[in-house]
């Protein structure tokens, strides 16, 4: 059971934390709304859309600055108990500097667990919705890509129609065991291309050991075949770089899919380590702020 003075410490610390959170959230909403208004100014949308986009994107932005919020919240906590001379009352109850440091660190760690388990996953769901809505108004929305257990899938909108690309896996700068299906503007198949290996370092892909099947079912083999797309290796890599729109369980699922096709999981590992380390980082910020406020006269 928590003692009365411990409950007071938690209440005081939480009040500073929530106050600072509201202040930073307000700043995020104001600054982000300007960016979203600029983004939607040339689109035929409701005037409420940029504010809605700002609202659903704000939590994940707030998540990124939580360490800074914890640092300042701890400092404001100590300013309050110093100005009210409550620090002397706490010491009479046996709460010396070291015990106070331990207690605040424990509170920060538990709050950090709540942040990553509840707040992060909630924020990532909103971020995912944000990206889906914004993609509908982006100029390059016609270019889509996704990685599943069935490999890499790309939808590429071209002048004469649409191209659907599927590859079993990625090895370095190559797609392995790829199929490319071309559709006309009425989404009727016009050509099918199968290649054992595809070099994707540039927009003009180089296909090796290729079989091209035309509309009349005639097939031609090529040792090398060039195919123009709107994608290169860099663009494909960047398509999957915004991992903040995925919950923790989505990250684990995506990691399995990446491994299945040989795609690098380094970005996912970094995101997972950030997830694991956040409670320790928030606790460290509390420790730093406590040391500064206690020993800085």
């Amino acid at each position: 059971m928590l003692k009365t003075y411990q409950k007071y410490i938690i209440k005081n610390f939480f009040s500073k934390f929530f106050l600072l959170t509201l202040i930073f959230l307000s700043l995020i909403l104001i600054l982000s709304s300007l960016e979203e208004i600029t983004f939607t100014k040339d689109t035929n949308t409701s005037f409420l859309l940029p504010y809605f986009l700002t609202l659903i994107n704000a939590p994940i932005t707030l998540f990124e600055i939580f360490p800074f919020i914890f640092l300042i919240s701890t400092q404001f906590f100590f300013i309050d108990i110093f100005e009210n001379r409550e620090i002397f009352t706490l010491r009479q109850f046996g709460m010396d500097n070291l015990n106070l440091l331990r207690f605040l660190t424990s509170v920060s760690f538990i709050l950090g667990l709540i942040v990553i388990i509840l707040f992060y996953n909630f924020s990532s769901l909103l971020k995912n919705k944000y990206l889906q809505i914004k993609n509908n108004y982006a100029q390059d929305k016609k270019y889509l890509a996704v990685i599943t257990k069935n490999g890499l899938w790309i939808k590429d909108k071209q002048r004469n129609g649409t191209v659907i690309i599927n590859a079993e896996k990625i090895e370095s700068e190559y797609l392995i065991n790829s199929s490319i299906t071309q559709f006309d503007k009425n989404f009727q198949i016009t050509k099918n291309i199968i290649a054992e290996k595809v070099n994707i370092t540039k927009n003009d892909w180089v296909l090796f050991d290729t079989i091209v099947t035309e509309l009349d079912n005639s097939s031609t083999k090529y040792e090398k075949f060039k195919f123009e797309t709107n994608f290169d290796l860099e663009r494909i890599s960047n398509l999957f770089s915004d991992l903040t729109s995925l919950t923790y369980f989505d990250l684990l699922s995506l990691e399995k899919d990446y491994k299945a096709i040989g795609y690098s999981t380094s970005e996912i590992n970094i995101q997972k380590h950030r997830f694991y380390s956040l409670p320790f980082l928030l606790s460290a910020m509390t420790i730093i702020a406590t040391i500064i406020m206690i020993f800085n006269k």
Side-chain angles (χ1 to χ4, degrees):
M1 292 292 294
L2 291 174
K3 298 178 181 179
T4 302
Y5 68 89
Q6 292 175 325
K7 292 180 181 179
Y8 173 76
I9 292 174
I10 294 175
K11 180 181 178 181
N12 197 331
F13 181 79
F14 272 38
S15 65
K16 301 298 183 295
F17 171 75
F18 287 119
L19 176 62
L20 266 295
T21 299
L22 288 175
I23 292 174
F24 277 96
L25 179 61
S26 301
L27 292 174
I28 291 171
L29 292 174
I30 294 171
L31 297 176
S32 298
S33 62
L34 298 176
E35 179 183 348
E36 300 302 339
I37 289 172
T38 302
F39 175 80
T40 59
K41 67 178 181 179
D42 296 326
T43 61
N44 186 21
T45 60
S46 168
F47 76 97
L48 294 176
L49 180 63
Y51 303 104
F52 178 69
L53 290 174
T54 300
L55 187 63
I56 62 177
N57 189 48
I60 200 65
T61 306
L62 185 66
F63 174 82
E64 298 291 336
I65 61 175
F66 265 139
F68 189 59
I69 293 175
F70 269 74
L71 177 71
I72 300 179
S73 298
T74 305
Q75 291 179 307
F76 272 93
F77 167 80
F78 276 100
I79 290 174
D80 188 46
I81 64 173
F82 282 145
E83 288 184 347
N84 297 328
R85 304 184 67 83
E86 293 168 348
I87 185 69
F88 301 107
T89 303
L90 292 175
R91 287 171 179 169
Q92 289 178 358
F93 285 100
M95 184 67 74
D96 58 17
N97 293 340
L98 183 58
N99 288 330
L100 185 58
L101 175 62
R102 289 174 178 171
F103 188 73
L104 286 177
T105 302
S106 300
V107 171
S108 298
F109 187 84
I110 294 173
L111 188 55
L113 291 176
I114 296 174
V115 167
I116 62 172
I117 294 173
L118 298 179
F119 187 84
Y120 171 79
N121 288 294
F122 171 74
S123 301
S124 63
L125 291 174
L126 293 180
K127 178 71 172 184
N128 190 284
K129 185 65 176 178
Y130 167 83
L131 293 177
Q132 290 180 23
I133 296 174
K134 201 164 184 178
N135 181 66
N136 292 329
Y137 301 97
Q139 294 181 354
D140 59 350
K141 65 179 181 180
K142 56 189 178 181
Y143 311 125
L144 303 174
V146 65
I147 287 180
T148 71
K149 61 183 179 181
N150 296 319
L152 170 68
W153 292 87
I154 298 174
K155 175 188 175 184
D156 188 3
K157 185 72 174 180
Q158 299 183 344
R159 292 187 300 272
N160 299 325
T162 304
V163 175
I164 302 295
I165 303 163
N166 173 238
E168 182 180 303
K169 59 182 179 178
I170 298 176
E171 289 184 357
S172 185
E173 69 270 18
Y174 294 98
L175 298 181
I176 306 299
N177 295 332
S178 304
S179 66
I180 301 172
T181 306
Q182 287 184 305
F183 299 86
D184 60 21
K185 294 182 179 179
N186 297 320
F187 219 72
Q188 299 295 319
I189 297 177
T190 60
K191 184 183 294 184
N192 186 64
I193 303 171
I194 297 176
E196 291 187 8
K197 188 167 66 172
V198 182
N199 187 304
I200 57 173
T201 52
K202 299 180 180 179
N203 285 28
D204 292 331
W205 291 3
V206 180
L207 287 64
F208 298 91
D209 297 324
T210 306
I211 300 176
V212 180
T213 303
E214 302 291 345
L215 187 59
D216 58 0
N217 289 328
S218 61
S219 298
T220 307
K221 292 184 179 181
Y222 298 90
E223 290 186 7
K224 281 188 179 182
F225 185 85
K226 286 193 174 183
F227 186 80
E228 183 179 353
T229 72
N230 292 295
F231 288 87
D232 57 15
L233 180 61
E234 180 180 1
R235 179 165 191 168
I236 291 174
S237 300
N238 291 336
L239 287 170
F240 310 105
S241 60
D242 197 346
L243 299 178
T244 58
S245 62
L246 301 176
T247 66
Y248 178 73
F249 298 104
D250 290 334
L251 281 175
L252 296 180
S253 178
L254 186 63
E255 184 179 27
K256 292 180 181 178
D257 294 337
Y258 275 24
K259 289 179 178 179
I261 69 167
Y263 196 77
S264 173
T265 60
S266 58
E267 291 295 329
I268 293 180
N269 289 330
I270 291 173
Q271 186 70 10
K272 287 168 58 181
H273 291 155
R274 290 180 62 192
F275 188 88
Y276 299 144
S277 64
L278 183 65
F280 299 97
L281 174 60
L282 299 182
S283 299
M285 299 303 284
T286 300
I287 292 172
I288 292 172
T290 300
I291 294 174
I292 291 174
M293 298 305 294
I294 289 178
F295 295 100
N296 184 2
K297 301 301 181 182

Coordinates of all heavy atoms in Angstrom, one line a residue, residues 267-297:
E267 N 15.5 -1.8 -39.9 CA 14.7 -0.7 -39.5 C 13.6 -1.2 -38.5 O 13.3 -0.5 -37.5 CB 14.0 -0.1 -40.7 CG 14.9 0.6 -41.7 CD 15.5 1.9 -41.0 OE1 14.8 2.5 -40.2 OE2 16.6 2.2 -41.4
I268 N 13.1 -2.4 -38.7 CA 12.1 -2.9 -37.7 C 12.8 -3.2 -36.4 O 12.2 -2.9 -35.3 CB 11.5 -4.2 -38.3 CG1 10.7 -3.9 -39.5 CG2 10.7 -4.9 -37.2 CD1 10.0 -5.1 -40.1
N269 N 14.0 -3.7 -36.4 CA 14.8 -4.0 -35.2 C 15.0 -2.7 -34.4 O 14.9 -2.7 -33.2 CB 16.1 -4.7 -35.4 CG 15.9 -6.1 -35.9 OD1 14.9 -6.8 -35.5 ND2 16.8 -6.6 -36.7
I270 N 15.4 -1.6 -35.1 CA 15.6 -0.3 -34.5 C 14.3 0.1 -33.8 O 14.3 0.6 -32.7 CB 16.1 0.7 -35.5 CG1 17.5 0.3 -36.0 CG2 16.0 2.1 -34.9 CD1 18.0 1.2 -37.1
Q271 N 13.2 0.0 -34.5 CA 11.9 0.4 -34.0 C 11.5 -0.4 -32.7 O 11.0 0.1 -31.7 CB 10.8 0.3 -35.0 CG 9.5 0.9 -34.6 CD 9.4 2.4 -34.5 OE1 10.4 3.0 -34.9 NE2 8.4 2.9 -34.0
K272 N 11.8 -1.7 -32.8 CA 11.5 -2.6 -31.6 C 12.4 -2.2 -30.4 O 11.9 -2.2 -29.3 CB 11.7 -4.0 -32.0 CG 10.6 -4.6 -32.9 CD 11.0 -5.9 -33.5 CE 11.3 -7.0 -32.4 NZ 11.8 -8.3 -33.0
H273 N 13.6 -1.9 -30.7 CA 14.5 -1.5 -29.6 C 14.1 -0.2 -29.0 O 14.3 0.0 -27.8 CB 16.0 -1.5 -30.1 CG 16.5 -2.8 -30.4 ND1 17.6 -3.0 -31.3 CD2 16.2 -4.0 -30.0 CE1 17.8 -4.3 -31.5 NE2 17.0 -4.9 -30.7
R274 N 13.7 0.7 -29.8 CA 13.1 2.0 -29.3 C 11.9 1.7 -28.4 O 11.8 2.4 -27.4 CB 12.7 2.9 -30.4 CG 13.9 3.5 -31.3 CD 13.4 4.4 -32.4 NE 12.7 5.5 -31.8 CZ 11.9 6.3 -32.5 NH1 11.8 6.1 -33.9 NH2 11.3 7.4 -32.0
F275 N 11.1 0.8 -28.8 CA 9.9 0.4 -28.1 C 10.3 -0.2 -26.7 O 9.8 0.2 -25.7 CB 9.1 -0.6 -28.9 CG 7.8 -1.0 -28.3 CD1 6.7 -0.2 -28.6 CD2 7.7 -2.1 -27.4 CE1 5.4 -0.6 -28.1 CE2 6.4 -2.4 -26.9 CZ 5.3 -1.7 -27.3
Y276 N 11.3 -1.1 -26.7 CA 11.8 -1.7 -25.5 C 12.5 -0.8 -24.5 O 12.3 -0.9 -23.3 CB 12.7 -2.9 -25.8 CG 12.1 -4.0 -26.6 CD1 12.9 -4.7 -27.6 CD2 10.8 -4.4 -26.5 CE1 12.4 -5.7 -28.3 CE2 10.2 -5.4 -27.2 CZ 11.0 -6.1 -28.2 OH 10.5 -7.1 -28.9
S277 N 13.2 0.2 -25.1 CA 14.0 1.0 -24.3 C 13.3 2.3 -23.7 O 13.9 3.0 -22.9 CB 15.3 1.4 -25.1 OG 14.9 2.2 -26.2
L278 N 12.1 2.5 -24.2 CA 11.5 3.8 -23.8 C 11.3 3.9 -22.3 O 11.6 5.0 -21.8 CB 10.1 3.9 -24.5 CG 9.4 5.3 -24.2 CD1 10.2 6.4 -24.8 CD2 8.0 5.3 -24.8
P279 N 10.8 2.9 -21.6 CA 10.7 3.1 -20.1 C 12.0 3.4 -19.5 O 12.0 4.2 -18.5 CB 10.1 1.7 -19.7 CG 9.4 1.2 -20.9 CD 10.3 1.6 -22.0
F280 N 13.1 2.8 -19.9 CA 14.4 3.1 -19.4 C 14.8 4.5 -19.7 O 15.5 5.2 -18.9 CB 15.4 2.1 -19.9 CG 15.1 0.7 -19.5 CD1 14.4 -0.2 -20.4 CD2 15.4 0.2 -18.2 CE1 14.1 -1.5 -20.0 CE2 15.1 -1.1 -17.9 CZ 14.4 -2.0 -18.8
L281 N 14.5 4.9 -20.9 CA 14.9 6.3 -21.3 C 14.1 7.3 -20.5 O 14.7 8.3 -20.1 CB 14.6 6.5 -22.8 CG 14.8 7.9 -23.4 CD1 16.2 8.4 -23.2 CD2 14.4 8.0 -24.9
L282 N 12.8 7.1 -20.3 CA 12.0 8.0 -19.5 C 12.5 8.1 -18.1 O 12.6 9.1 -17.5 CB 10.6 7.6 -19.6 CG 9.9 7.7 -21.0 CD1 8.4 7.3 -20.9 CD2 10.1 9.0 -21.6
S283 N 12.9 6.9 -17.6 CA 13.4 6.9 -16.2 C 14.8 7.6 -16.1 O 15.0 8.3 -15.2 CB 13.6 5.4 -15.8 OG 12.4 4.7 -15.8
A284 N 15.6 7.5 -17.2 CA 16.9 8.2 -17.2 C 16.7 9.7 -17.2 O 17.4 10.4 -16.6 CB 17.7 7.7 -18.4
M285 N 15.7 10.1 -18.0 CA 15.4 11.6 -18.0 C 15.0 12.1 -16.7 O 15.3 13.2 -16.3 CB 14.4 11.9 -19.1 CG 14.7 11.5 -20.5 SD 16.3 12.2 -21.1 CE 15.7 13.9 -21.4
T286 N 14.2 11.3 -16.0 CA 13.8 11.7 -14.6 C 15.0 11.7 -13.7 O 15.1 12.6 -12.8 CB 12.7 10.6 -14.1 OG1 11.6 10.6 -15.0 CG2 12.3 11.0 -12.7
I287 N 15.9 10.7 -13.8 CA 17.1 10.7 -12.9 C 17.9 11.9 -13.2 O 18.4 12.6 -12.2 CB 17.9 9.4 -13.2 CG1 17.1 8.2 -12.7 CG2 19.3 9.5 -12.5 CD1 17.8 6.9 -13.1
I288 N 18.1 12.3 -14.5 CA 18.9 13.4 -14.8 C 18.3 14.7 -14.2 O 19.0 15.6 -13.7 CB 19.1 13.6 -16.4 CG1 19.9 12.4 -16.9 CG2 19.7 14.9 -16.8 CD1 19.9 12.3 -18.4
A289 N 17.0 14.9 -14.4 CA 16.3 16.1 -13.9 C 16.4 16.2 -12.4 O 16.6 17.2 -11.8 CB 14.9 16.1 -14.4
T290 N 16.3 15.0 -11.7 CA 16.3 15.0 -10.3 C 17.7 15.4 -9.8 O 17.8 16.2 -8.8 CB 16.0 13.6 -9.8 OG1 14.6 13.2 -10.2 CG2 16.0 13.5 -8.2
I291 N 18.7 14.9 -10.4 CA 20.1 15.2 -10.0 C 20.3 16.7 -10.2 O 20.9 17.4 -9.3 CB 21.1 14.3 -10.7 CG1 21.0 12.9 -10.3 CG2 22.5 14.8 -10.5 CD1 21.8 11.9 -11.1
I292 N 19.9 17.2 -11.3 CA 20.1 18.6 -11.6 C 19.4 19.5 -10.6 O 20.0 20.5 -10.1 CB 19.6 19.0 -13.0 CG1 20.5 18.3 -14.1 CG2 19.5 20.5 -13.3 CD1 20.0 18.5 -15.5
M293 N 18.1 19.2 -10.3 CA 17.3 20.0 -9.4 C 17.8 19.9 -7.9 O 17.7 20.9 -7.2 CB 15.9 19.7 -9.5 CG 15.3 19.9 -10.9 SD 15.5 21.6 -11.5 CE 14.5 22.5 -10.4
I294 N 18.3 18.8 -7.5 CA 18.7 18.6 -6.1 C 20.0 19.3 -5.9 O 20.2 19.9 -4.8 CB 18.8 17.1 -5.7 CG1 17.4 16.5 -5.6 CG2 19.5 16.9 -4.4 CD1 17.3 15.0 -5.3
F295 N 21.0 19.2 -6.8 CA 22.3 19.7 -6.6 C 22.6 21.0 -7.2 O 23.7 21.6 -7.0 CB 23.3 18.7 -7.1 CG 23.3 17.4 -6.3 CD1 22.7 16.2 -6.8 CD2 23.9 17.3 -5.1 CE1 22.7 15.0 -6.1 CE2 23.9 16.1 -4.4 CZ 23.3 15.0 -4.9
N296 N 21.6 21.6 -7.9 CA 21.8 22.9 -8.5 C 21.1 23.9 -7.6 O 19.9 24.0 -7.6 CB 21.1 22.9 -9.9 CG 21.4 24.3 -10.6 OD1 22.0 25.1 -10.1 ND2 20.8 24.4 -11.8
K297 N 21.9 24.7 -6.9 CA 21.3 25.6 -5.9 C 20.6 26.8 -6.7 O 19.8 27.5 -6.0 CB 22.4 26.2 -5.0 CG 23.1 25.1 -4.2 CD 22.2 24.3 -3.3 CE 23.0 23.2 -2.6 NZ 22.1 22.4 -1.7

